[in-house]
Amino acid sequence: MKEPNALRDVDARILGEAMLSEEGMAVLRTLCDVHGSRFAGTRDEWRAGDFLLERMLACGLSRVHAEPFPFLAWRRGRTPTLQVVGPCKLSLDCIALPYSPATAEGGVGLEAVNVGEGLPEDFARQRRDIRGKAVLASNESPGYYHRWVHRAEKYARAVAAGAKAFIFMNRLEGLLPETGSARFNRRGEIPAVGVSKETGARLVSLLREGPVRLHIETHDSFARGRSRNIVGEFPGTEHPDEVVVVGGHYDGHDISQGAADNASGVATVLEAARLLAPHRGLLKRTVRFVCFGAEEVGLLGGAAYVAHHAAEMARTRLMVNLDCIGNDRGKGFDFMGWDEAKAPLIAMAREMKQDIVFASRPNPYSDHFHFMVAGVPICLLGNVGGTPKGRGYGHTAADTLDKVGRADLREAAALLARSLLRFANDRAWALPHKSTAEVRRILDRYELIDVMKAEGTLPKALR
Ligand SMILES: [Zn+2]
């Protein structure tokens, strides 16, 4: 069957420009090599914001501006101490996780307990054995489990069971501890540290022989912080008040360059803006580009945007999020419960003559989430559809520039630019907004209401 493509010439120009362009990689390189980790609330993050403002102006976007917001910043202190003091003596490498509080001066002595993958069932089964101890949990979310089990959930369940410390063990080899916020934008109750797979394996091995006593000391602190969303747009020619939002977070974790997570997403968003610029006159509705701040510490940029633009949510047609553009597996869009998007996506893929993977499985762990709470149709661009198996190098010191492929960035940017033309123009992309009850139902299908209750992250609107 032949699908007519009225945009064939435009598509050809976008694809040609994308495949010859070095601009996306140049933006990626500047974000990683010049602006470092861009950790929320730091000078790195602020300067990266200045760079993005500059890039948006260079792309020809209108109304380019920053939207600042306050939050509780976490400051990494001296290297923490993690020692085995019995049955043997060992000094282990570890890093503190964001929002981990400092221990009392001199640290704490604790017995360790291993909860394996830290599934809700593991915590339930070992409940009596956790109180007063240091909980060791892997970052594994096993393939046989029906959903992803996030670090914040494991930490919260450890706190609820009366644990006195949390040790988060990587599943990926290479002496790489994985970081990630223990709480979102609020002080954690118990110290939390990350250890490599190898260090974790040593602890697990010792625990098989009998009780293990640890000494833990952390030195981290809190401060008033400021972050910003960076915003610019191509105004629509027919319905300028109707908006397609496209964005990704530019902050990263302080132990790495945050190249895949998420300089890759931001570079793709800006490259799509550059590719669309010569064709902006074709956009019937406004396409607004947003680089979100402070995502890694609690989705704060997404939340701030939705609060600031609350009056526009009913006229926000779609939010497209980019958080890690993925590798060379097939790219697509995850509509997170908006199953109505399947038919228009198939039609669009045919018309564009490109395989585009469709998925519809909600997750509440990136900037699209607060749009979803407001009922706005959302999707995430990347490698979608498979069972999530963890973050790979994400959240480790190895998430560096060399991990992002030029071909992937080009493919993602071209797909995004071509899709935005359709999302903003075609009648088929007027997806229904959902009521709070419907949003709750989507999340409930994957137990996510209960999970967020356990984490203490359930937004007021959904309670
Ligand atoms: Zn991310």
Side-chain angles (χ1 to χ4, degrees), residues 119-155:
L119 305 179
E121 290 80 354
D122 296 323
F123 280 100
R125 195 175 51 246
Q126 289 172 258
R127 190 150 200 108
R128 291 223 181 83
D129 199 29
I130 291 172
R131 184 161 298 281
K133 294 185 180 166
V135 162
L136 174 67
S138 151
N139 67 346
E140 182 93 44
S141 189
Y144 59 76
Y145 206 62
H146 54 283
R147 62 176 176 84
W148 193 34
V149 184
H150 192 270
R151 161 196 72 253
E153 178 182 348
K154 298 178 188 186
Y155 178 83

Side-chain angles (χ1 to χ4, degrees), residues 39 71-72 74 97-101 150-161 166 180-190 192 222 253 295-300 451-458:
F39 190 56
F71 73 105
L72 178 69
W74 179 81
L97 304 187
Y99 295 96
S100 168
H150 192 270
R151 161 196 72 253
E153 178 182 348
K154 298 178 188 186
Y155 178 83
R157 291 193 195 280
V159 170
F166 181 74
S181 300
R183 288 289 193 200
F184 288 157
N185 196 27
R186 71 177 166 104
R187 186 182 290 265
E189 294 86 342
I190 60 175
F222 299 86
H253 273 293
E295 188 268 356
E296 296 288 9
V297 294
L299 321 181
L300 307 183
V451 167
M452 285 186 278
K453 270 187 197 158
E455 289 175 358
T457 52
L458 188 67

Side-chain angles (χ1 to χ4, degrees), residues 286-318:
T286 296
V287 177
R288 186 172 296 155
F289 299 80
V290 186
C291 301
F292 297 102
E295 188 268 356
E296 296 288 9
V297 294
L299 321 181
L300 307 183
Y305 179 94
V306 171
H308 191 80
H309 296 266
E312 289 172 9
M313 285 301 123
R315 289 177 280 116
T316 303
R317 184 177 171 91
L318 179 66

